[in-house]
Amino acid sequence: MDKLRQTPSQTVGPFFAYGLTARQYGYDFTSIVDNSLVGAFPMGIEIDIIGHVFDGEGKPIPDALIEFRQADEKGRYRSVPLEKADSDFRGFGRFGTGTEPDAGFHFITVKPKALSGQAPHINVILFMRGSLRHLYTRIYFPDELNIDDPILRSVDPSRIRTLIAESSGANRYQFDIHMQGLNETVFFDL
Amino acid sequence: MDQTSFDVHPPHLYAPYKSTILRSPTRPLMPVRELLKDLTLPAFGESLIGKLDNDLTKNARKNGEPIGERIKVSGVVMDEYGKPLAGVLVEIWQANSAGRYVHKEEIHDAPLDPNFLGAGRILTDREGRYSFYTIKPGAYPWGNHFNAWRPNHIHFSVVGHQFEHRLVTQMYFQGDPLFEYDPIFQSVPVHARELLIAKFRMDWTEPEFALAYEFNIILGRRSSTPFE
């Protein structure tokens, strides 16, 4: 049987906030997730991840939408559906870069554990006005053993640093995404 | 290998849509499919979905009904083999009938509608079906080039259960005269543009109430490079 043709991708545009991140932006609509991936009683090490998305001129992009998807402190991806009253680790979050004064993003999560031979990491899905197809990248940690990670091993060594967050304080990490330029972030093709 | 499934998507850089110029990657994406094939996205429970979340004609009423043409937009979310995908989160947002978005940064001089937000969501049922009631969105001008107007459209965000079943797209309406002038619509290869256009369904129309449109969503692996 011939495969069906996929529905083509289109940009998220500049006005996604009242639909996808309503609570963060102060719109009168609920949000299914926000920038906190932790539950009510977080296990493991709670961390903050902050960063920016920079365009080809080095300007921070104020209308990007970022999604985090990650394993928990035991290396498990949550498979139980997320619910409204849910005190467990969520493992999925969203944040738009339109509310922080410096057009940054900020997630509160737990440090994920390594799983199946991969170094601990956070999966990042990136949308923005001006992006016709979403992009996928990963955040690795500077204080973990990354050397045997199969994905990092297949990345051009000169670009590996674009995938590793910087420590910016106790349990605090900085991860900037560069769309272009010398520090252009490595994006993955799914 | 069936080539068509690989080239329906727009390129990252499409210069007529000016914002892509500084916001698209310049280096090739790194293929990692084999390492990521088991990567999941979260499942969402019904408790997250409000009773009126899929009825945009009702979910933001303040003192009356929203102004405009009431429509029903329905379809099936499926994979490339036609298998319906249940429990997929479908979120939409759109302009009101005057072509005005609620977004605070929006400056287009068209009226807001106090009874219309323009946002909704639903989970697909066991047969992969979703359905929204809404108001037909108006066209609106934007700053891409002189006298630039977007065709009427509804934004869709779709979260399936696997990483490759994540999609953000826009649904358009048949016969829109702005298609040929809109670089966002035109960024899609010619042969695939029809996939973004909802079909008018007279047989689904609710007499005395709402016209109906069908928009099926097919999710699959995104790779632009046919290999394996």
Side-chain angles (χ1 to χ4, degrees), chain B residues 67-69 71 94-101 106 108 110 116 134-141 149-155 173 176 178:
Chain B
I67 302 290
E69 182 185 334
I71 60 171
Q94 61 166 91
N96 69 20
S97 61
R100 175 71 187 260
Y101 282 88
E106 165 66 313
H108 173 38
F116 190 73
T134 187
I135 298 293
K136 191 170 182 188
Y140 80 99
W149 291 80
R150 296 294 332 279
N152 305 342
H153 63 279
I154 298 177
H155 293 266
F173 294 86
D176 197 312
L178 291 169

Side-chain angles (χ1 to χ4, degrees), chain A residues 5 10 18 25 83 184, chain B residues 26 47 94 104 172 194:
Chain A
R5 289 185 294 168
Q10 291 271 269
Y18 64 90
Y25 282 68
E83 300 290 351
E184 180 173 322
Chain B
T26 65
S47 69
Q94 61 166 91
K104 290 164 186 163
Y172 300 88
E194 60 176 335

Side-chain angles (χ1 to χ4, degrees), chain A residues 4-8 10 18 25 27 30 56 67 69 82-84 94 129-130 133 180 184 189, chain B residues 9 17 19 21-24 26 30 40 43 45 47 80 91 94 104 121 166 169 172 194 218 221:
Chain A
L4 298 170
R5 289 185 294 168
Q6 292 175 26
T7 305
Q10 291 271 269
Y18 64 90
Y25 282 68
Y27 292 103
T30 56
E67 289 178 347
R69 170 70 169 156
L82 297 172
E83 300 290 351
K84 193 172 176 184
R94 271 182 185 163
R129 175 176 67 83
R133 315 159 60 138
Q180 301 177 353
E184 180 173 322
D189 196 7
Chain B
H9 297 291
Y17 175 24
S19 302
I21 294 170
L22 290 175
R23 294 181 168 201
S24 52
T26 65
M30 233 190 78
T40 62
S47 69
E80 292 169 290
E91 296 163 282
Q94 61 166 91
K104 290 164 186 163
R121 66 170 75 92
R166 182 80 181 91
T169 190
Y172 300 88
E194 60 176 335
I218 290 85
R221 181 184 155 201

Side-chain angles (χ1 to χ4, degrees), chain A residues 8-50:
Chain A
S9 176
Q10 291 271 269
T11 180
V12 77
F15 302 137
F16 60 81
Y18 64 90
L20 304 184
T21 51
R23 204 153 46 197
Q24 179 201 337
Y25 282 68
Y27 292 103
D28 187 13
F29 192 55
T30 56
S31 291
I32 47 150
V33 289
D34 58 20
N35 66 333
S36 174
L37 283 72
V38 302
F41 313 103
M43 310 288 281
I45 305 167
E46 198 171 325
I47 59 172
D48 289 272
I49 298 186
I50 55 167

Side-chain angles (χ1 to χ4, degrees), chain A residues 50-78:
Chain A
I50 55 167
H52 304 84
V53 186
F54 292 108
D55 72 10
E57 289 178 341
K59 294 190 184 124
I61 292 174
D63 48 12
L65 172 70
I66 292 148
E67 289 178 347
F68 273 24
R69 170 70 169 156
Q70 66 164 91
D72 67 11
E73 81 288 348
K74 293 205 168 85
R76 300 168 303 200
Y77 276 94
R78 175 171 172 150

